[in-house]
């Protein structure tokens, strides 16, 4: 009995020691936490980075933009990923944070494939999400109740959508989902459903809608004809140093921007023909 | 052997007593750690959850009865909009409805397993029900999303998301808990009760209905309350089918939300220390207090049952 107990204790302590070892043996590593919209991109870039630089690892975790910003503010991780400017998030002091814009992502309204409506004005869209328009027949569609599906409060995608579509009007209380995957599945299977999602997530099961007769394409985002888009930010606490700086340069390099960023449905930052400030001021980039 | 040697060997600790001290120390350490963990969890959740009321000065009454949940904006009086009533109502509705639906099934299954066909019950029904416990909640949620929600939509209308779908999913989830505890309750009814009843000429049904079930009422209620406390704390499966709209549920097929679903959705999107985060901790505190209430209820029922 006693022997077994000691063996068990020994095994447990061995596990603890070993798990401590693992971190040390793998050499250098940094952690990036935050936005789930940005996570796949950083993961892919991190894998490539490790291939090119053996022994240097990038740990990528999700958790949401809020987590990313609060973790980087507390300096408990090296990189905080966010869909939002740090200034837009309450409770974050952006003073020490350094912004690195690594990509751009467009957000498009999506509807259930059975809805025949092809185009909506920004005003109509805002009225749908504020609850003023409740039936598709008012918009030239079938006599079908509109089912609005929102993302969770504080989600980066929702903030982008509300900023450029609602423009200060408040969104009505409606269904909320905390992941784009769930939103897509629900929009695809619920008659009359409407929601919004980032370009990379759109597939055949849902239908995109033109806004003010502009189609949601990367080209239209690049010239700001399609207005609902946001930068993907990677924040560091202070100027990045060492491995963090190396990785930031790597992710902004042409190889990564062309191969991984574009491939995954994001828009490479260097392809943007315009820039947009936090306040929403748009300027053309002169090459 | 002289006196001193005997004296020394008697005063020295024997092997057995050393073992006993060793055991006491080990279990003492374990218990201390467990108590420490429980106390610190309570302290942590309470300190975060109460910050909403002390630091952010939210009125407790407004928090419990307000119907608008939008922590990032303020209402007309300049107070933050943290009304938790829609979630509280949502949580309690799915919990009670699931318990109401599950109880007859659980009692039926338990009666079958103990009174009618113990052999078949032990060999077939019990393993099946125990299997239900082992299924992860995300699987229940996924089935709910792809089977129950479309079913509710086709049968009752609406979008299919709502309290009714949540009830169906939770019903299956708490059924095994309630059933196996009801079985224990029925088994603990002394054999001579049944024998006496049968000897008086009562039929099997009369014995079950008038004697066995009556004698085990407190045990059955305990089982139901246990199931309810599991339903109350379930997050993932409910979140997938209830629709997560922070609205007071007008009917059973309109989207609603529960305390747990709001919590899991909002945590990643709010910043530690901000009001929206603190408000979520207040919901967590509510979720922590409710099982306590359920536990007290169970003890109270147990005591009352013991007196009869």
């Amino acid at each position: 009995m006693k022997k077994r107990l000691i063996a068990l204790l020994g095994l447990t302590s061995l596990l603890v020691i070993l798990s401590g070892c693992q971190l040390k043996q793998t050499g250098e590593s940094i952690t990036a936490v935050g936005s789930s919209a940005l996570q796949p991109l950083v993961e892919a870039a991190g894998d490539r980075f490790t291939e090119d630089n053996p022994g240097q690892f990038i740990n990528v975790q999700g958790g949401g933009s809020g987590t990313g910003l609060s973790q980087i503010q507390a300096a408990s991780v090296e990189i905080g990923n966010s869909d939002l400017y740090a200034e837009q998030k309450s409770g974050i002091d952006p003073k020490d944070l350094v912004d690195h814009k690594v990509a751009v992502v467009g957000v498009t309204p999506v509807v259930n494939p059975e809805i025949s409506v092809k185009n909506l004005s920004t005003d109509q869209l805002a009225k749908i999400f504020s609850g003023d328009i409740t039936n598709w027949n008012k918009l030239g569609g079938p006599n079908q109740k509109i089912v609005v599906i929102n993302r969770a409060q504080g989600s980066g995608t929702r903030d982008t959508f509300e900023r450029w579509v609602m423009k200060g009007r408040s969104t009505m209380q409606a269904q909320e989902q905390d992941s784009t995957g769930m939103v897509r599945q629900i929009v695809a299977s619920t008659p009359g459903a409407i929601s919004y999602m980032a370009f990379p997530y759109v597939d055949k099961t849902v239908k995109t809608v033109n806004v003010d007769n502009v189609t949601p394409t990367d080209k239209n985002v690049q010239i700001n004809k399609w207005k609902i888009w946001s930068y993907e930010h990677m924040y560091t606490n202070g100027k990045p140093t060492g491995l963090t700086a190396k990785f930031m340069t790597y992710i902004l390099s042409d190889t990564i921007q062309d191969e991984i960023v574009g491939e995954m449905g994001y828009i490479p930052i260097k392809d943007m023909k315009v820039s947009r400030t936090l306040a929403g001021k748009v300027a053309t980039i002169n090459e | 052997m002289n006196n001193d040697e005997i004296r020394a060997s008697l005063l020295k600790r024997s092997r057995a007593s050393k073992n006993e001290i060793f055991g006491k120390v080990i279990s003492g350490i374990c218990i201390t750690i467990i108590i420490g963990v429980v106390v610190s969890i309570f302290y942590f959740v309470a300190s975060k959850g109460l910050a909403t009321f002390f630091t952010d000065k939210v009125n407790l009454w407004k928090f419990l009865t307000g119907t608008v949940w939008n922590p990032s904006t303020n209402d007309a009086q300049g107070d933050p909009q943290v009304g938790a009533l829609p979630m509280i109502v949502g949580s309690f509705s799915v919990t009670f409805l699931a318990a109401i639906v599950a109880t007859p099934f659980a009692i039926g299954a338990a009666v079958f397993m103990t009174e009618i066909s113990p052999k078949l019950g032990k060999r077939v029904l019990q393993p099946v029900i125990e299997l239900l416990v082992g299924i992860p909640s995300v699987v229940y949620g996924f089935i709910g999303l792809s089977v129950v929600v479309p079913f509710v939509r086709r049968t009752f209308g609406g979008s299919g998301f709502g309290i009714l779908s949540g009830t169906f999913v939770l019903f299956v989830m708490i059924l095994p808990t309630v059933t196996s505890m009801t079985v224990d309750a029925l088994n603990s009814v002394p054999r001579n009760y049944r024998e006496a009843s049968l000897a008086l000429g009562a039929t099997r049904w009369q014995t079950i209905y008038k004697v066995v079930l009556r004698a085990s009422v407190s045990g059955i209620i305990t089982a139901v309350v246990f199931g309810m406390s599991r339903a109350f704390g379930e997050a993932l499966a409910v979140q997938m089918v209830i629709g997560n709209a922070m609205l007071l549920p007008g009917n059973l097929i309109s989207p609603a939300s529960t305390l747990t679903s709001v919590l899991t959705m909002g945590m990643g999107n709010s910043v530690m220390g901000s009001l929206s985060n603190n408000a979520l901790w207040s919901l967590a505190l509510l979720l922590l207090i409710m099982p306590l209430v359920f536990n007290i209820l169970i003890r109270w029922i147990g005591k009352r049952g013991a007196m009869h």
Side-chain angles (χ1 to χ4, degrees), chain A residues 134-190:
Chain A
T134 53
N135 197 311
W136 284 108
N137 61 14
K138 292 226 174 87
L139 303 161
N143 180 17
Q144 171 82 51
K145 242 186 114 188
I146 299 179
V147 178
V148 170
I149 291 151
N150 258 324
R151 291 290 306 281
Q153 276 170 24
S155 129
T157 314
R158 177 166 173 174
D159 279 10
T160 306
F161 185 81
E162 288 191 341
R163 178 140 190 236
W164 299 106
V165 174
M166 304 307 287
K167 294 179 178 143
R169 258 190 273 190
S170 61
T171 318
M172 68 164 170
Q173 293 283 349
Q175 281 202 49
E176 287 180 13
Q177 294 300 334
D178 72 338
S179 76
T180 307
M182 280 290 282
V183 166
R184 191 173 58 200
Q185 199 186 345
I186 291 168
V187 170
S189 62
T190 311

Side-chain angles (χ1 to χ4, degrees), chain B residues 93-103 166-168 170-171 174 228 231:
Chain B
S93 332
V94 284
T95 304
F96 280 111
L97 286 174
I100 289 170
V101 180
T103 307
T167 304
F168 284 149
L170 277 180
F171 150 66
I174 66 170
M228 276 166 53

Side-chain angles (χ1 to χ4, degrees), chain B residues 6-267:
Chain B
I6 294 168
R7 194 183 149 83
S9 76
L10 279 176
L11 285 177
K12 219 174 73 186
R13 285 212 173 106
S14 71
R15 226 184 127 73
S17 79
K18 269 185 197 159
N19 264 347
E20 184 151 330
I21 290 171
F22 179 73
K24 265 186 192 161
V25 170
I26 293 280
S27 44
I29 291 172
C30 291
I31 292 168
T32 323
I33 291 175
I34 292 170
I35 293 176
V37 167
V38 171
V39 168
S40 40
I41 288 176
F42 264 81
Y43 173 75
F44 186 73
V45 175
S47 68
K48 288 270 177 193
L50 293 176
T52 315
F53 309 113
F54 293 117
T55 318
D56 300 311
K57 308 274 181 236
V58 173
N59 187 318
L60 175 65
W61 185 243
K62 261 194 169 170
F63 176 78
L64 291 176
T65 58
T67 53
V68 182
W69 180 267
N70 203 352
S72 49
T73 54
N74 293 349
D75 64 9
Q77 284 113 52
D79 294 327
Q81 297 184 309
V82 284
L85 190 66
M87 287 82 104
I88 296 173
V89 171
S91 270
F92 276 102
S93 332
V94 284
T95 304
F96 280 111
L97 286 174
I100 289 170
V101 180
T103 307
F105 287 92
I107 293 177
V111 165
F112 183 80
M113 281 159 71
T114 53
E115 310 295 322
I116 296 170
S117 180
K119 238 189 201 161
L120 195 65
K122 264 224 178 75
R123 213 173 292 154
V124 183
L125 213 50
Q126 199 163 9
V128 169
I129 280 171
E130 275 162 9
L131 194 72
L132 286 179
V133 189
I135 298 175
S137 57
V138 64
V139 176
Y140 281 114
F142 198 38
I143 297 173
L145 188 64
S146 23
V147 180
V148 178
V149 170
F151 169 76
V152 170
R153 181 167 58 228
R154 274 198 306 273
T155 321
F156 302 99
S159 66
F161 294 91
I163 289 179
L164 193 63
S165 304
T167 304
F168 284 149
V169 170
L170 277 180
F171 150 66
V172 184
M173 292 186 76
I174 66 170
L175 187 62
T177 316
V178 183
T179 307
S180 56
M181 286 186 67
T182 307
V183 167
D184 292 342
L186 295 186
N187 275 335
S188 67
V189 174
R191 203 183 143 80
N192 53 21
Y193 279 34
R194 297 186 181 90
E195 282 164 357
S197 163
L198 292 171
L200 285 170
T203 61
R204 182 157 76 169
W205 168 243
Q206 284 168 332
T207 309
I208 291 170
Y209 182 59
K210 301 262 183 197
V211 178
V212 180
L213 285 182
R214 297 289 158 98
S216 55
V217 150
S218 74
I220 294 173
I221 293 177
T222 310
V224 174
V225 176
F226 244 94
M228 276 166 53
S229 89
R230 169 149 195 226
F232 198 80
E234 176 52 43
L236 200 59
V238 180
Q239 190 203 324
M240 287 169 85
V241 299
I242 200 163
N244 309 311
M246 288 108 176
L247 293 167
L248 265 184
N251 55 49
L252 294 184
I253 50 169
S254 67
S257 58
T258 63
L259 292 166
T260 46
S261 69
V262 173
L263 211 56
T264 50
M265 284 207 312
M267 272 300 171

Side-chain angles (χ1 to χ4, degrees), chain A residues 18 24 28 55 81 89 110 118 121 131 137-138 142 150 155 168 180 182 189 198 250 253 275:
Chain A
L18 279 182
K24 274 203 177 138
E28 250 184 309
N81 301 332
K89 195 89 197 167
V110 290
K118 287 198 175 62
S121 69
N137 61 14
K138 292 226 174 87
N150 258 324
S155 129
T180 307
M182 280 290 282
S189 62
Y250 185 80
S253 68
S275 68

Side-chain angles (χ1 to χ4, degrees), chain A residues 15-27:
Chain A
L15 276 178
V16 172
I17 293 165
L18 279 182
S19 57
C21 269
Q22 207 200 354
L23 287 177
K24 274 203 177 138
Q25 278 171 356
T26 50

